[in-house]
Amino acid sequence: LTTLSTEAQQSKYLDSLERYVLNDEGKDVHIMDAGGAAHPKHWACWLLAEGLLANKQYEKALRFFRLSNDTFYGRSSWCGNDMETQYTTLLVRYADCYVGMNQIDTALALLMPYAIWSIQPEPYRQAKLKEILLLKYNKDEIRMEMEHAVKTISVEVDGEECWGYIRLFDYKVGLGMCRKEWAQKDYGIDISPTTEATRKELMEVKLPALFAEEWYKASDGYKLLTSL
């Protein structure tokens, strides 16, 4: 849009994209097909939504971001990291639209579950979350919440995996996963309690402390939001 000099030219461009996108149904495609190329209408939808977002047409932008994902995208890939990046980038765009519509809580609900942990670092997403949090809370409130939240860490065990969670601004936020063998080998934590007392200590003291130091306080999200 920045290459088009007048509002009329920008409007004509967006109208043309919209006609192209809505002219026919799309199809699900494999995101890694053709060297990373996806269905052309996915990208047309995405460009249209970006243009609408830039023009502050938030409801319409949200519609086409969703269409790019649900109809012309398919969200199928053999690469988990790629899917994680694509999905969280989409969530950021959804959040931008909701912020534009002054639906701050809806935007936060989308991004808060990913405030701390993901398959790979997403500083752009976390920076966006910080930006939105500052629309609702002041810096002191955010820092205080991040510090006090460590007391809310809980652990859920699924087979050989231990998953850590924390409550931030009343949202359940994932911290990550530690396999039982890692806890025992790397951190010296006995993950086979023999009594109810040792099981309780493991679940309520040892594993939460591990997640607090190695996952929560070591995360980019924690460092970003406590350094305001």
Side-chain angles (χ1 to χ4, degrees):
L1 283 181
T2 57
T3 62
L4 300 176
S5 58
T6 69
E7 290 186 10
Q9 288 177 325
Q10 293 177 3
S11 179
K12 184 176 180 181
Y13 171 73
L14 293 177
D15 287 345
S16 296
L17 269 180
E18 183 173 349
R19 286 196 301 273
Y20 168 69
V21 164
L22 299 179
N23 181 54
D24 190 17
E25 291 186 0
K27 61 178 180 180
D28 289 351
V29 293
H30 198 290
I31 192 173
M32 302 298 279
D33 283 349
H39 193 283
K41 286 195 175 182
H42 162 69
W43 299 115
C45 247
W46 189 270
L47 287 172
L48 174 58
E50 290 279 13
L52 293 166
L53 180 61
N55 282 356
K56 300 183 179 181
Q57 295 175 258
Y58 302 115
E59 291 187 25
K60 202 169 183 180
L62 180 62
R63 175 194 174 196
F64 283 99
F65 278 127
R66 284 176 171 162
L67 189 62
S68 75
N69 181 63
D70 298 337
T71 302
F72 302 122
Y73 183 60
R75 285 172 50 190
S76 61
S77 175
W78 50 263
C79 178
N81 286 6
D82 185 68
M83 287 303 302
E84 170 83 1
T85 299
Q86 293 290 332
Y87 182 62
T88 54
T89 299
L90 185 67
L91 289 183
V92 167
R93 288 295 185 266
Y94 287 172
D96 282 331
C97 293
Y98 282 117
V99 168
M101 293 185 283
N102 200 34
Q103 297 181 30
I104 306 302
D105 287 338
T106 303
L108 286 176
L110 289 172
L111 296 182
M112 281 302 299
Y114 305 93
I116 302 300
W117 179 86
S118 67
I119 292 176
Q120 53 191 5
E122 299 275 351
Y124 168 67
R125 181 197 63 219
Q126 291 164 346
K128 177 60 65 175
L129 175 60
K130 179 182 76 170
E131 176 185 315
I132 298 172
L133 280 170
L134 286 169
L135 296 175
K136 185 172 182 179
Y137 305 100
N138 64 45
K139 293 180 180 180
D140 288 338
E141 288 174 326
I142 294 172
R143 285 194 296 264
M144 187 178 298
E145 178 71 9
M146 296 299 293
E147 294 293 346
H148 290 176
V150 70
K151 299 176 183 178
T152 71
I153 291 177
S154 61
V155 177
E156 298 177 9
V157 177
D158 182 8
E160 293 301 308
E161 298 175 349
C162 303
W163 291 86
Y165 297 92
I166 198 166
R167 299 294 300 188
L168 285 173
F169 298 103
D170 210 29
Y171 294 97
K172 185 178 181 180
V173 179
L175 294 177
M177 182 273 292
C178 179
R179 293 187 62 82
K180 289 182 178 180
E181 61 186 271
W182 302 343
Q184 187 157 338
K185 179 180 178 182
D186 298 336
Y187 303 105
I189 295 177
D190 182 4
I191 46 73
S192 301
T194 56
T195 67
E196 179 60 25
T198 55
R199 189 201 71 80
K200 184 175 181 180
E201 182 184 25
L202 174 69
M203 297 300 295
E204 297 182 6
V205 179
K206 291 184 177 180
L207 285 177
L210 174 64
F211 275 101
E213 295 301 321
E214 300 296 331
W215 274 262
Y216 182 52
K217 292 183 179 180
S219 71
D220 290 336
Y222 177 85
K223 294 172 184 176
L224 182 67
L225 293 173
T226 55
S227 62
L228 293 172

